[in-house]
Amino acid sequence: MFTVKMFLVGIAVIHVLGQNEEKSCIADNKDTCDPCGITGKWRNELGSVVEITCKLDSPDRGSTGEIIGKYNSAVGAATDYYPLSGRFTIPDQDSTSCIVGFVVAWNNKAHGNSDSSTSFTGTYYKDTDTIYTFWILTRYKKYTDMWENSNIGTNVFTRIQSK
């Protein structure tokens, strides 16, 4: 009888875990799960690489959290990685997608201070496994030349499959 009970408990546990497989971010593993679906390495159409980790704010706020990572730009004279930070939220209409925003300040040990930062905002769609972003790069200019301090564009990031 004990064996049958243990078998049934095992089946129930497997069933519950299977239902929560996609967004199984609970208090015990909220720092290691992937609540927004974008944890990993990504490359844009210019060859820049971003590494992202998502962390939930808390178990009771299971649809918002923090983005941390690093960005290696293939544009200009950038070398090495630059730290990035941001936020995500999971839309109520599609819990497999994610709205993201993150910022890169172009200042690191390898290249120094570029006197600029870029803010990315966009949407991750699970069905295409793609992050579509708009960005605005702002660089320091004197107040009288402020009209030329910003550039705006788009980037599409595709996942780099791990080997």
Side-chain angles (χ1 to χ4, degrees):
M1 185 65 144
F2 177 75
T3 305
V4 171
K5 286 182 183 177
M6 291 308 294
F7 175 75
L8 292 175
V9 168
I11 295 291
V13 168
I14 290 170
H15 176 72
V16 169
L17 290 176
Q19 286 182 328
N20 295 327
E21 181 179 332
E22 194 167 302
K23 300 264 188 260
S24 60
C25 297
I26 56 174
D28 294 342
N29 74 338
K30 77 180 186 75
D31 290 335
T32 59
C33 67
D34 186 11
C36 62
I38 64 171
T39 293
K41 276 184 152 180
W42 299 82
R43 179 176 288 117
N44 69 18
E45 66 280 7
L46 301 173
S48 299
V49 174
V50 63
E51 294 183 31
I52 296 173
T53 301
C54 295
K55 294 184 177 186
L56 285 174
D57 286 336
S58 65
D60 59 330
R61 292 189 43 140
S63 64
T64 63
E66 175 185 19
I67 295 173
I68 56 172
K70 54 189 183 175
Y71 195 103
N72 184 285
S73 179
V75 178
T79 58
D80 204 12
Y81 280 89
Y82 296 82
L84 69 80
S85 63
R87 304 287 302 158
F88 74 87
T89 188
I90 299 167
D92 288 338
Q93 302 122 314
D94 179 3
S95 65
T96 65
S97 293
C98 183
I99 307 299
V100 300
F102 58 89
V103 176
V104 178
W106 302 108
N107 187 341
N108 69 8
K109 289 180 184 177
H111 191 63
N113 191 351
S114 298
D115 298 326
S116 60
S117 69
T118 302
S119 297
F120 296 82
T121 185
T123 306
Y124 164 72
Y125 295 99
K126 182 177 180 168
D127 60 342
T128 63
D129 202 25
T130 305
I131 305 170
Y132 299 90
T133 66
F134 289 91
W135 55 262
I136 184 166
L137 179 140
T138 302
R139 62 183 174 274
Y140 177 79
K141 292 287 183 179
K142 293 191 185 267
Y143 182 76
T144 55
D145 297 322
M146 191 171 134
W147 63 272
E148 63 177 327
N149 75 346
S150 296
N151 295 317
I152 299 172
T154 62
N155 282 134
V156 177
F157 292 89
T158 55
R159 191 180 301 273
I160 299 172
Q161 298 302 322
S162 58
K163 296 177 183 180

